[in-house]
Amino acid sequence: MTNRKIVVALGGNAILSKDASAEAQQQALRETAKYLVEFIKQGDQLIISHGNGPQVGNLLLQQAAGSTDKNPAMPLDTAVAMTQGSIGYWMQNALSEVLAENKLDVDVATVVTQVEVSEDDQAFTNPTKPIGPFYTKDEIDLIKAQNPDQTFVEDAGRGYRRVVPSPKPIGVKESRVVNKLVDAGIVPISVGGGGVPVVKRGNRYVGKEAVIDKDFASEKLAELVGADLLIILTAVDNIYVNFNKPNQKQLNEVTVDELNTYIKEGQFAKGSMLPKVQAAIDFVDNRPDSKAVVTSLENVGRFLSDGSGTIISKTAVTSK
C-alpha cells in the first residue's frame, strides 16, 4: 500500500548519542535521513516528529552559564522552540541532501509547533519531568533563592534536579498547516520535542514552563491530521514482555486490549517503553481503522518489506 499518511516519531538516539557538537548531530541526522527516505521512495506521505531532551537540557545549561541582568536566559517554552528550530534545520538539510541523492524532487519544511495543553492539567501541580544537570544541596539552596518558583527533587542519590510539569496534549495549533504541507507534497517536520506547550486564553496562546512527551504529542498530531499509521521509533526492533528475563517474549502483532493487560501487569518501564505503548494505544483507540508501530530506526527497511516490528491494532491482525 502506498500513499499512506505516516507520522514517524524519532527517538533521541536518531539525533544525539554522546557527542553533543552540532557536527556530530548533523552527521547522525544524515544517517537517519537514509532510513526515512525509504518511505518517500515507496510513495508514502511522511510527517516527521522528534525528541529534544538532550538538546534542550544543554541549551538551558548554556543559557544559565551566560545569563546576566541585561541578557537573561530565555524561559523553557522558548528554549523548546529554539531547539525545534535548530534540530528542524539540521533535519530538513539532511533529508533534502538524501532526497537529492535519490533524485527525488521533494521539499522539506520545519513547522515550529505549538501544542495546546489544559491549564487545569494536574501535571502543573505535580511536576515530575527532570531536566538539566544534577546539583548539590548547597547549589540547590542558592538556585532556589534566586528562582523560588522552580521545583527540585533528589534523584536516586545522584544529586538534585529541576523537575517541570509534563502535561498531556489536547491539541496541535498548527495541525492544519501540517496537512496543507502534506497536500502540497512537502514533508513537514512538526511537534519537535513534544511541541511548545501553550494554553489558550481567549485569542492568545500563552507558553508554559513545561515539556510535553514527544510520543504523546506525535500521537495527537497523527490523530488530528488523519494519519493511516503512527510509527514510534525507539532503540529496539520490537516491544517485549518479561524484558531481559529468561521468558522474554517478542510482540509482533498485538491488540489494544492485550497491551492494556500487559500495562496492568507492569510490563513496561515508566520512563522508556510505557509512554510509547500508551501513545500507540491512544492513536489506535482514536482511529480504530489505523495502526501504530513500535520498532527501531534500523528496522525500517524490514518493516517496509515484510512488516517486521510490533504492529498495534484495535482488533486482531489477520495478515501483515
Side-chain angles (χ1 to χ4, degrees):
M1 179 181 178
T2 59
N3 206 35
R4 298 172 297 182
K5 187 182 293 184
I6 301 175
V7 173
V8 175
L10 294 172
N13 60 329
I15 309 168
L16 173 61
S17 52
K18 294 179 181 179
D19 187 343
S21 70
E23 293 79 8
Q25 293 183 74
Q26 287 171 300
Q27 179 56 39
L29 282 167
R30 278 192 284 272
E31 296 303 314
T32 294
K34 294 175 184 177
Y35 292 99
L36 297 180
V37 79
E38 295 302 317
F39 290 101
I40 301 167
K41 285 166 70 174
Q42 73 166 29
D44 289 320
Q45 299 172 311
L46 190 62
I47 300 167
I48 302 169
S49 66
H50 60 83
N52 73 338
Q55 292 85 0
V56 79
N58 290 343
L59 177 59
L60 291 172
L61 276 177
Q62 292 162 0
Q63 291 201 96
S67 180
T68 64
D69 289 340
K70 290 186 177 181
N71 186 26
M74 293 294 104
L76 181 55
D77 58 308
T78 302
V80 171
M82 291 164 75
T83 53
Q84 272 197 54
S86 60
I87 296 170
Y89 153 60
W90 293 336
M91 187 174 295
Q92 67 189 36
N93 189 290
L95 190 54
S96 295
E97 180 181 339
V98 176
L99 285 165
E101 289 171 357
N102 284 271
K103 297 181 170 52
L104 294 168
D105 186 17
V106 179
D107 289 321
V108 187
T110 298
V111 180
V112 175
T113 316
Q114 300 171 89
V115 175
E116 187 179 356
V117 299
S118 170
E119 204 138 24
D120 298 325
D121 194 304
Q122 292 184 354
F124 287 115
T125 57
N126 182 33
T128 58
K129 183 73 172 178
I131 62 168
F134 292 95
Y135 297 101
T136 66
K137 181 67 169 63
D138 289 341
E139 288 172 328
I140 283 299
D141 290 341
L142 179 60
I143 294 169
K144 288 176 73 172
Q146 297 171 339
N147 303 276
D149 294 333
Q150 295 184 4
T151 303
F152 295 84
V153 297
E154 197 275 334
D155 189 335
R158 296 179 293 177
Y160 292 81
R161 293 183 79 187
R162 182 183 174 192
V163 288
V164 298
S166 186
K168 289 290 289 289
I170 61 173
V172 178
K173 186 176 184 300
E174 289 78 19
S175 61
R176 287 184 298 176
V177 175
V178 171
N179 252 348
K180 287 177 181 178
L181 290 170
V182 171
D183 290 343
I186 297 166
V187 176
I189 301 164
S190 183
V191 297
V196 180
V198 294
V199 295
K200 190 173 183 181
R201 297 176 186 166
N203 293 324
R204 185 182 176 205
Y205 287 88
V206 180
K208 299 291 287 184
E209 287 274 318
V211 292
I212 301 170
D213 183 276
K214 171 263 302 177
D215 296 314
F216 287 126
S218 301
E219 183 284 319
K220 182 56 66 176
L221 177 65
E223 178 190 330
L224 292 172
V225 301
D228 300 298
L229 203 60
L230 168 64
I231 301 177
I232 298 175
L233 298 178
T234 185
V236 291
D237 293 350
N238 291 75
I239 300 172
Y240 290 84
V241 293
N242 303 316
F243 188 59
N244 277 341
K245 296 179 181 178
N247 59 340
Q248 173 178 289
K249 176 186 174 184
Q250 176 179 298
L251 301 182
N252 296 307
E253 297 171 353
V254 63
T255 67
V256 165
D257 286 345
E258 289 169 334
L259 283 179
N260 279 322
T261 298
Y262 291 136
I263 288 174
K264 290 176 183 176
E265 294 174 359
Q267 288 283 356
F268 309 121
K270 286 185 178 180
S272 55
M273 188 56 75
L274 182 59
K276 301 179 192 312
V277 171
Q278 290 173 323
I281 289 171
D282 287 349
F283 177 66
V284 175
D285 274 343
N286 287 309
R287 289 187 56 79
D289 293 332
S290 299
K291 293 182 175 64
V293 179
V294 177
T295 190
S296 68
L297 180 67
E298 293 77 15
N299 196 53
V300 161
R302 291 188 293 276
F303 165 73
L304 289 172
S305 63
D306 62 16
S308 174
T310 299
I311 301 174
I312 299 105
S313 304
K314 187 67 176 175
T315 55
V317 180
T318 56
S319 67
K320 293 181 180 178

